[in-house]
Amino acid sequence: MAGKAAAPGTAVLLVTANVGSLFDDPENLQKNWLREFYQVVHTHKPHFMALHCQEFGGKNYEASMSHVDKFVALGSFYFLHESLKNIYQFDFKAKKYRKVTGKEIYSDTLESTPMLEKEKFPQDYFPECKWSRKGFIRTRWCIADCAFDLVNIHLFHDASNLVAWETSPSVYSGIRHKALGYVLDRIIDQRFEKVSYFVFGDFNFRLDSKSVVETLCTKATMQTVRAADTNEVVKLIFRESDNDRKVMLQLEKKLFDYFNQEVFRDNNGTALLEFDKELSVFKDRLYELDISFPPSYPYSEDARQGEQYMNTRCPAWCDRILMSPSAKELVLRSESEEKVVTYDHIGPNVCMGDHKPVFLAFRIMPGAGKPHAHVHKCCVVQ
């Protein structure tokens, strides 16, 4: 009996990972990471793989970082199967595509490398964070006659749970909105021809904190604790109205201690997706496949607690893979023809650090790149 024919098209795997924990505690986490990552690669057998990472060098970066005005702690790895032919990467300085051959490594002064664009967000976007290293890295590729941008992004976090709780949407949501809008405007400006794009990384998207707390603590009474010297609110305690006034939730600047974590894991946290609102601002510019995995952050960094969340933040889908409308058509073409699209997280049962990596696997189907066939006319073959 003949074996099953290989699926048509070029298999693509996009992975986003926050690797800070690997640097801070490599002995316990690297084996988990490599084993789980290998399993995804083995299952989907990509021809082209992009691994976008943030928090390179670990989270205690302040003491050793140089070039403070440009440092973003982002890095990207691209792997091409030897069977691929005529793969091109864009030279942003020459405004031409160059044929990819052999192995190339770019490091240190990435801003001088013409094969990518790297930017750190302006400091005034998030002034309360002195050493912000948030920003983005952009590369452009032409594979199977399809041209597309891959943008690795790291947006601003919630500095205080108490501040995030004050308004809906939170002030931090507005900051992320501004930064993401800045990136989208940059990648479709007039400097270069417009192509499809994927934006992925740690968006730090959070659930609408005020709505979540009000829903989780509907029948609770709130106690406010203030600092004796400044009268500043330092803690909120939500207690059940009956049941011996059991504490349901304690909220501090860096504490989100809810008594029942199962609500974030039950049915992959689907009930909480209604509070995941930050992407809606960009509904005409960015598309995401349906989420069918639990919140990707903040997991325990204890190697023995792979499914446990830390009580520092409200669990949320921080790590995402988003795409432009034309990239959506590219992905959904493979979904409609071969049912081979997967959007999921990695290592659901083992510790992968405080973020679970997220991946998107799909195929560029034959003929999908016809609108971009003109790309080859401007290639510089090396």
Side-chain angles (χ1 to χ4, degrees), residues 5-294:
T10 302
V12 176
L13 180 64
L14 308 180
V15 184
T16 181
N18 190 310
V19 296
S21 300
L22 296 181
F23 287 89
D24 295 334
D25 189 13
E27 183 176 347
N28 289 323
L29 296 182
Q30 283 184 0
K31 288 182 179 179
N32 285 355
W33 220 102
L34 291 172
R35 183 181 63 251
E36 299 296 322
F37 180 62
Y38 171 79
Q39 183 60 47
V40 171
V41 173
H42 179 73
T43 299
H44 296 280
K45 298 179 172 57
H47 298 101
F48 176 84
M49 179 171 65
L51 173 60
H52 281 193
C53 303
Q54 48 271 353
E55 301 285 13
F56 260 104
K59 299 175 184 179
N60 298 318
Y61 58 89
E62 295 182 13
S64 59
M65 66 185 286
S66 58
H67 306 293
V68 171
D69 58 327
K70 297 177 180 178
F71 181 76
V72 294
L74 294 172
S76 299
F77 298 89
Y78 304 99
F79 302 91
L80 287 69
H81 194 274
E82 59 185 3
S83 64
L84 285 180
K85 307 297 181 186
N86 298 322
I87 307 302
Y88 300 90
Q89 186 179 2
F90 193 67
D91 183 323
F92 288 95
K93 184 176 181 180
K95 297 185 178 182
K96 292 183 179 292
Y97 288 83
R98 301 185 182 276
K99 190 170 185 178
V100 177
T101 59
K103 178 175 70 174
E104 296 186 21
I105 298 176
Y106 302 109
S107 61
D108 298 328
T109 55
L110 290 181
E111 61 273 3
S112 64
T113 301
M115 306 308 289
L116 57 83
E117 283 196 318
K118 179 179 79 75
E119 272 192 60
K120 177 180 176 178
F121 294 122
Q123 184 63 37
D124 61 3
Y125 274 33
F126 202 62
E128 63 184 281
C129 188
K130 180 181 178 181
W131 296 106
S132 174
R133 73 284 193 203
K134 307 296 196 294
F136 71 95
I137 291 179
R138 171 196 191 186
T139 57
R140 176 171 291 187
W141 301 83
C142 179
I143 298 172
D145 289 336
C146 284
F148 54 85
D149 282 348
L150 296 178
V151 183
N152 183 5
I153 194 169
H154 193 181
L155 297 182
F156 300 100
H157 60 284
D158 280 13
S160 168
N161 293 323
L162 294 171
V163 173
W165 175 83
E166 289 175 352
T167 60
S168 175
S170 78
V171 62
Y172 302 118
S173 176
I175 293 171
R176 288 188 285 272
H177 175 193
K178 181 178 179 180
L180 180 54
Y182 174 83
V183 173
L184 296 182
D185 289 343
R186 287 287 287 169
I187 61 181
I188 63 169
D189 62 19
Q190 300 302 313
R191 295 171 301 145
F192 309 106
E193 184 177 9
K194 293 181 177 64
V195 300
S196 302
Y197 55 83
F198 296 87
V199 186
F200 54 117
D202 181 4
F203 290 82
N204 264 313
F205 287 166
R206 306 301 171 97
L207 304 184
D208 186 271
S209 184
K210 193 169 187 63
S211 298
V212 169
V213 171
E214 289 174 352
T215 300
L216 295 179
C217 303
T218 302
K219 298 180 179 180
T221 58
M222 185 181 75
Q223 174 188 351
T224 302
V225 180
R226 298 179 180 273
D229 52 346
T230 64
N231 203 38
E232 177 185 6
V233 176
V234 294
K235 178 185 285 192
L236 299 175
I237 303 174
F238 296 83
R239 299 177 182 274
E240 291 190 31
S241 300
D242 47 20
N243 195 26
D244 296 329
R245 293 186 53 77
K246 177 182 177 181
V247 174
M248 300 182 68
L249 172 67
Q250 294 187 75
L251 202 66
E252 298 179 17
K253 180 178 181 180
K254 294 185 178 181
L255 177 72
F256 188 98
D257 189 5
Y258 187 63
F259 79 104
N260 179 23
Q261 276 203 5
E262 286 303 314
V263 70
F264 303 108
R265 292 189 289 260
D266 185 42
N267 195 27
N268 291 322
T270 302
L272 297 171
L273 279 171
E274 65 174 295
F275 306 113
D276 180 67
K277 303 177 180 179
E278 295 195 31
L279 184 57
S280 63
V281 177
F282 300 95
K283 62 182 180 180
D284 296 327
R285 305 177 71 180
L286 289 171
Y287 177 83
E288 182 178 27
L289 298 184
D290 291 339
I291 293 176
S292 59
F293 49 89

